[in-house]
Amino acid sequence: MQFQQLQYFVAVAETRHFTRAADLVHVSQPSLSQQIKALERELGADLFLRARGNITLTDAGEALLPLARRILADADTARLEVQELVQLRSGRVRLGATPSLCTGLLPDVLRAFHDRYPGIHLMIEEGGSHDLVRELARGALDLALVVLPLPTPSPALATVELLREDLVVVSSPDAPKPGHGKRAIRVADLEGERLVMFRHGYDLRELTVAACRAEGFEPDFAVEGGEMDAVLGFARAGLGVAVVPRMVAARAGRGLRVTPLAPPGLHRTIALAHRSDVAPPRAARELQRMLLEH
């Protein structure tokens, strides 16, 4: 019994027509008929009743049909499993993330992923959540780490909450302590402080400015327009204070004073997003699993 014969048998059983079945499996009708006859000889039983152009299954055919479908389905599953294993040996993952997450969360996870799957090419795109959502929607990314709530919620995207991260205030150790030296300061204590501020469209900028306005004041910018590395460098140089994620502050090394925000503080929620209408590639799903377990 050959695998190809089972494919032809199922095609005839489903179409109840030899010519249409031959078209379905892309062979000539005589070749298909010969293979069906060979299968019947192998099994020692007729599989079809051919009466006046009507094709019906015999009892033997009825018994074989669910078994043949299962064998074909198992073969498809085996093919997909092997293809997915190949994808884990050589392939790519296109991951979008906000710059602060590239600095704080991703290095450890990406190192672990690369150690396990060295053949996977990692493509990282930095951007704000708004830009990353757009890139996901048009299929340019497999996964993206974004800040919730999304700037433009989309039913075409699925999100899974990854972590809730505290924000802290960083400043130069040579500058006066923010909040008049308190161990933990409130957002209201930032009034009168000069801030080093991110560029427009940066999630942390919107969050910080909104928090200051909620306390009844407009933040005073010493310098604005930078990405994460620039903002940390400007704060380290004493140009002003900056509000950054705790993970980023912890990785920034020496040269920065870290002051926590007193409860309720400021937080941001990080989520992992992908398109809901298209399953991510196998390698992307593996990176997704590692991020969720981190």
Side-chain angles (χ1 to χ4, degrees), residues 90-190:
S90 61
R92 70 174 184 180
V93 177
R94 301 168 302 170
L95 174 67
T98 62
S100 58
L101 290 171
C102 288
T103 303
L105 172 67
L106 282 183
D108 290 341
V109 177
L110 293 185
R111 183 186 61 217
F113 182 85
H114 179 71
D115 288 346
R116 187 174 300 180
Y117 307 109
I120 300 298
H121 179 54
L122 293 166
M123 301 177 66
I124 309 301
E125 179 169 332
E126 291 187 72
S129 293
H130 181 81
D131 294 334
L132 296 178
V133 165
R134 186 176 64 248
E135 293 299 287
L136 269 177
R138 73 180 187 90
L141 296 173
D142 301 312
L143 303 169
L145 290 164
V146 297
V147 178
L148 295 182
L150 293 177
T152 52
S154 169
L157 294 183
T159 58
V160 180
E161 187 171 320
L162 200 61
L163 61 94
R164 190 167 182 263
E165 185 179 17
D166 293 337
L167 302 185
V168 297
V169 176
V170 294
S171 57
S172 169
D174 299 327
K177 292 182 178 180
H180 306 290
K182 298 177 185 175
R183 293 186 61 183
I185 64 175
R186 299 170 300 126
V187 173
D189 293 324
L190 294 176

Side-chain angles (χ1 to χ4, degrees), residues 8-17 21 48 55 57 61 65 69:
Y8 296 171
F9 162 71
V10 170
V12 175
E14 290 179 345
T15 61
R16 302 301 169 102
H17 197 281
F48 298 103
I55 305 299
L57 287 166
L65 184 57
R69 283 174 169 158

Side-chain angles (χ1 to χ4, degrees), residues 80-96 113 117 120-123 136 139-144 272-291:
L80 289 173
E81 288 293 329
V82 171
Q83 288 174 350
E84 289 192 341
L85 286 174
V86 170
Q87 288 179 11
L88 289 176
R89 286 197 289 268
S90 61
R92 70 174 184 180
V93 177
R94 301 168 302 170
L95 174 67
F113 182 85
Y117 307 109
I120 300 298
H121 179 54
L122 293 166
M123 301 177 66
L136 269 177
L141 296 173
D142 301 312
L143 303 169
L272 191 58
H274 62 85
R275 287 178 59 176
S276 57
D277 59 339
V278 179
R282 177 71 171 84
R285 297 203 304 273
E286 184 62 16
L287 178 57
Q288 181 181 38
R289 182 190 65 77
M290 294 179 71
L291 283 165

